[in-house]
Amino acid sequence: MIRTVLPEILDTLPPGHPDAVASRRDLRRLNWIMGNHRWLAAQLAARHRGGRVVELGAGDGSLGRMLFHRQPGLVDRWTGLDLIAPPPEWPAGWMQTDLFSPEGSAVVAAAETVVANLFLHHFENGALARLGTQLKHSRLLLFCEPARRRRHQWQGRLLAPFLNRVTRHDLKVSVAAGFLGGELPEALGLRPVEWRWTVRTGFRGSLRFAAERIE
Ligand SMILES: C[S@@+](CC[C@H](N)C(=O)[O-])C[C@H]1O[C@@H](n2cnc3c(N)ncnc32)[C@H](O)[C@@H]1O
């Protein structure tokens, strides 16, 4: 499958729209099925050495909330970044802006650790290359993205009766915009002399990317 980036409906709906609310609920379930939050929590516990953390495309904040419960020290270090407003009673930092705005770029540039879940696949390689230039001061990158395999679109179809119409559309589009192998570090322009990374794909559709800057 050739990588194809098409607009996702969730990004076009007002956050309070019933379909957006239903789709974000579906995303929480899909994240649970894919094990994304559990993997990110384990990686942060093992590798995060302090400093600021930014979560790109933090959405409804469910990853942060789960983490703050397990690792309370993260609350004061965490900034969620998203186009939408912070979720109700959000306890940590939040930047409501486009990732590529000057404010968004500044938050990314100030973070030692950059986390993203089901987010980077929204962007063409040109935009990912631009994000790569914002990572100059980062030391740890942890990303969960869709693995671009047709069989995951089929798995999504099996779940269709349980998903909102927006999620059904966005899931198929997301898989087609996902990554395989070394595509993500290549698109970000990470250099093997500066970064040590691993990329793993799982049975349930997730591609897990972890990178640490070489000292
Ligand atoms: C598929 S949702 C994933 C949300 C969350 N990470 C999760 O796993 O449930 C993608 C999120 O990225 C946000 N987003 C899309 N484009 C963005 C941009 N250019 N800058 C910041 N956030 C963006 C959307 O508002 C949305 O909340």
Side-chain angles (χ1 to χ4, degrees), residues 11 24 27 31 55 57-59 81-84 97-99 117-119 122-123:
D11 295 335
R24 287 189 197 282
L27 273 174
N31 274 317
E55 183 191 359
L81 186 154
D82 204 293
L83 296 171
I84 62 174
T97 189
D98 190 303
L99 165 64
N117 187 55
L118 303 182
F119 176 70
H122 283 75
F123 302 102

Side-chain angles (χ1 to χ4, degrees), residues 8-20 23-24 84 165-166:
E8 295 185 30
I9 300 175
L10 181 59
D11 295 335
T12 65
L13 294 174
H17 190 287
D19 280 336
S23 187
R24 287 189 197 282
I84 62 174
R165 68 168 186 96
V166 171

Side-chain angles (χ1 to χ4, degrees), residues 120-199:
L120 299 177
H121 67 278
H122 283 75
F123 302 102
E124 299 278 4
N125 284 3
L128 292 172
R130 205 165 138 205
L131 170 61
T133 65
Q134 297 173 7
L135 301 173
K136 280 195 282 289
H137 305 296
S138 315
R139 312 205 64 78
L140 175 64
L141 311 174
L142 297 171
F143 304 143
C144 277
E145 292 298 323
R148 196 179 67 255
R149 291 201 181 103
R150 240 176 249 292
R151 87 168 119 100
H152 301 314
Q153 289 182 325
W154 281 105
Q155 287 170 326
R157 262 175 234 176
L158 292 177
L159 293 173
F162 309 103
L163 300 175
N164 172 268
R165 68 168 186 96
V166 171
T167 319
R168 287 200 294 273
H169 171 274
D170 287 356
L171 191 151
K172 191 172 168 216
V173 166
S174 297
V175 173
F179 305 95
L180 283 176
E183 291 174 347
L184 187 50
E186 191 183 335
L188 290 167
L190 302 186
R191 298 172 59 217
V193 288
E194 289 177 8
W195 294 91
R196 186 172 34 237
W197 64 73
T198 56
V199 188

